């Protein structure tokens, strides 16, 4: 780093430090981490994505093209009901997707929200970045833009997702006219409801827990150039038009080519209220390690969680995860509720590593 750019870095770091306050004993001394080797990280559902992105970066692809190609594998997967094709729909049974991309070297971003009928929203977000003067397109405008760029429309609701949605709708209330099929046989549907239903002590249904999902993926090449993407079908059975954290730059993802990258999965509303990915990167800029930065943003979420979303011990009753990577390749996954894993591909291959957890779910 030249003296001039080093001075710029230190000035930016001290402005950020002053704005955000000290975070740990190590914080306050900004050190620009040196670039290391190729690394790609993602949420736990992204092992194929990190592998693909790593292979592409290894042969010279831009990390942004690589992570977008990686997450396309998950967007295509009908068995992942939190992303792309086969994603769980909104409360009216329509799949609405959110996605964003961010390119470290240019600090440019692109995003789409509430996009219907296009299975690769991260690719549309990439076109927003490259082929428009805008950062975020939503709804009908995003769909028009996707069509203009040759994306094909299709129904993204699989039979499996439709049946899960229909059962949710039919069992939400006893006061409406929708009745569940007593002969419902599809094992995946029953298992889905079993997993996500919280029972009271007498065995009756207390509450249905909305499943979360999403894929975030960040990649760094040997020169230390960083890019990232987050893509999702969002909160299952959401109010139509609801936009989560995933397509919001600074919330669902953020990267700074001098520092590192951060992205999220889990309850978007909690992240949106704290802009955690931006905060995570700024904390790393101040000197926090990826894990320290991740734990600090989780603690901020805990502090700002409203009472109705806390359990009897005062802890947030929802899931939220962050995936952080520093320019020098140090990385971490952090989670409100462990156990939870994240995927990493580097020179040692592809594997799942444990996220550092703030709280641990009771077994069983
Ligand atoms: N973060 C996503 C959202 O709030 C959902 C998720 O990760 O499950 O839309």
């Amino acid at each position: 780093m030249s003296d001039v750019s080093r001075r710029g870095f230190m000035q930016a770091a001290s402005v950020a430090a002053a704005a955000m306050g000290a975070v740990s004993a190590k914080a306050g001394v900004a050190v620009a981490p040196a670039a290391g080797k190729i690394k790609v990280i993602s949420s736990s559902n992204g092992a194929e994505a990190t592998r693909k992105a790593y292979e592409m970066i290894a042969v010279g692809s831009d990390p942004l093209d690589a992570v977008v190609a990686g997450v396309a594998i998950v967007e295509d997967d009908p068995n992942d009901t939190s992303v792309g094709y086969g994603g769980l729909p909104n409360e009216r049974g329509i799949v609405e997707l959110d996605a964003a991309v961010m390119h470290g070297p240019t600090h440019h971003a692109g995003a789409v929200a509430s996009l219907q009928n296009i299975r690769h929203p991260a690719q549309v977000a990439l076109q927003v970045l490259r082929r428009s003067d805008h950062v975020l397109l939503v709804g009908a405008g995003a769909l028009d833009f996707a069509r203009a760029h040759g994306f094909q429309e299709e129904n993204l609701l699989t039979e499996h997702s439709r049946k899960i949605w229909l059962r949710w709708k039919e069992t939400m209330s006893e006061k409406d006219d929708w009745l569940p099929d007593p002969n419902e046989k599809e094992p995946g549907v029953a298992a889905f409801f079993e997993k996500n239903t919280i029972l009271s002590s007498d065995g009756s249904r207390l509450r249905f827990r909305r499943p979360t999902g999403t894929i975030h993926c960040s990649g760094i090449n040997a020169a230390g150039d960083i890019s990232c993407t987050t893509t999702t079908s969002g909160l299952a059975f959401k109010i139509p038009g609801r936009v989560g954290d995933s397509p919001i730059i600074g919330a669902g993802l953020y990267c700074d080519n001098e520092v590192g990258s951060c992205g999220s999965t889990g309850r978007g509303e909690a992240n949106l209220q704290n802009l955690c990915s931006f905060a995570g990167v700024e904390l790393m800029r101040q000197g926090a390690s990826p894990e320290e930065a991740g734990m600090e943003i989780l603690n901020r979420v805990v502090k700002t969680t409203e009472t109705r979303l806390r359990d009897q011990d005062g802890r947030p009753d929802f899931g939220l995860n962050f995936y952080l990577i520093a320019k020098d390749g140090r990385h971490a996954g952090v989670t409100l509720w462990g156990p939870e894993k994240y995927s990493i591909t580097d020179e040692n291959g592809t594997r799942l590593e444990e996220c550092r957890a703030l709280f641990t779910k009771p077994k069983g």
Side-chain angles (χ1 to χ4, degrees):
M1 190 186 261
S2 72
D3 276 342
V4 174
S5 55
R6 188 185 307 278
R7 208 174 309 125
F9 176 84
M10 295 301 285
Q11 276 165 358
S14 59
V15 168
M20 302 184 70
V23 289
S24 77
K26 288 190 196 159
V29 185
V31 179
K37 297 188 176 133
I38 303 167
K39 285 202 164 45
V40 185
I41 62 168
S42 80
S43 37
S44 61
N45 53 350
E48 291 310 315
T50 57
R51 196 193 317 275
K52 167 88 180 171
Y54 182 93
E55 284 166 8
M56 287 179 64
I57 295 171
V59 295
S61 293
D62 187 293
L64 184 54
D65 288 312
V67 293
V68 169
V71 299
I73 298 170
V74 182
E75 290 174 328
D76 279 331
D77 181 357
N79 297 318
D80 191 318
T81 55
S82 66
V83 181
Y85 178 67
L88 288 171
N90 66 20
E91 67 179 17
R92 280 171 37 209
I94 298 165
V95 181
E96 284 185 339
L97 305 175
D98 295 340
V101 298
M102 190 154 185
H103 185 236
T106 55
H107 207 69
H108 288 173
V112 289
S114 296
L115 176 64
Q116 297 179 9
N117 296 347
I118 305 288
R119 72 159 68 193
H120 294 129
Q123 292 176 13
V124 184
L126 186 58
Q127 292 304 318
V128 173
L129 182 155
R130 290 194 173 142
R131 303 287 295 276
S132 85
D133 187 38
H134 305 317
V135 171
L136 173 60
L137 296 178
V138 305
L143 180 56
D144 282 350
F145 180 82
R147 279 199 210 106
H149 284 274
F151 288 87
Q152 296 300 310
E153 282 188 77
E154 62 186 307
N155 178 15
L156 302 178
L157 193 65
T158 56
E159 272 304 277
H160 179 67
S161 293
R162 184 187 64 78
K163 284 184 178 165
I164 289 176
W165 165 76
L166 188 59
R167 190 164 180 90
W168 169 79
K169 191 166 176 60
E170 289 171 341
T171 57
M172 270 310 283
S173 166
E174 283 164 12
K175 295 187 189 133
D176 65 23
D177 299 333
W178 294 76
L179 299 176
D181 176 0
N183 300 316
E184 170 61 63
K185 293 264 177 348
E186 191 162 313
V189 174
F192 176 88
F193 280 87
E194 207 170 297
K195 191 169 145 217
N196 293 301
T197 298
I198 299 171
L199 298 175
S200 66
S201 48
D202 66 0
S204 60
R205 180 163 105 177
L206 201 59
R207 193 154 74 76
F208 178 72
R209 180 180 33 217
R210 261 24 130 67
T212 50
T214 302
I215 177 167
H216 167 78
C217 188
S218 287
I220 181 161
N221 66 13
D225 285 334
I226 305 162
S227 286
C228 55
T229 181
T230 301
T231 174
T232 188
S233 50
L235 187 69
F237 321 132
K238 59 195 169 187
I239 295 176
R242 177 264 189 190
V243 175
D245 57 334
S246 307
I248 304 303
I249 308 305
L253 78 178
Y254 188 73
C255 69
D256 183 309
N257 219 43
E258 289 188 335
V259 181
S261 174
C262 180
S264 76
T265 62
R267 184 179 159 81
E269 282 71 9
N271 180 12
L272 279 168
Q273 287 168 178
N274 292 278
L275 282 184
C276 292
S277 289
F278 176 74
V281 171
E282 289 303 315
L283 290 162
M284 289 194 286
R285 189 197 298 281
Q286 292 174 52
S289 69
E291 186 175 294
E292 287 170 335
M295 295 310 276
E296 166 66 16
I297 52 182
L298 285 179
N299 277 310
R300 291 182 186 185
V301 169
V302 172
K303 266 190 224 142
T304 56
T305 296
E306 55 202 289
T307 314
R308 84 185 160 86
L309 297 172
R310 292 177 184 267
D311 68 13
Q312 72 259 25
D313 297 318
R315 302 166 302 184
D317 70 356
F318 51 83
L320 188 59
N321 316 305
F322 294 100
Y323 316 94
L324 302 98
I325 188 161
K327 190 175 176 73
D328 63 4
R330 287 170 302 150
H331 52 88
V334 299
T335 181
L336 265 183
W337 286 99
E340 179 69 41
K341 295 191 187 294
Y342 69 106
S343 174
I344 159 92
T345 301
D346 60 11
E347 69 276 18
N348 300 316
T350 299
R351 60 201 177 276
L352 289 176
E353 291 197 358
E354 208 62 49
C355 292
R356 168 99 187 270
L358 203 52
F359 309 116
T360 306
K361 288 176 216 145
K363 290 212 170 76

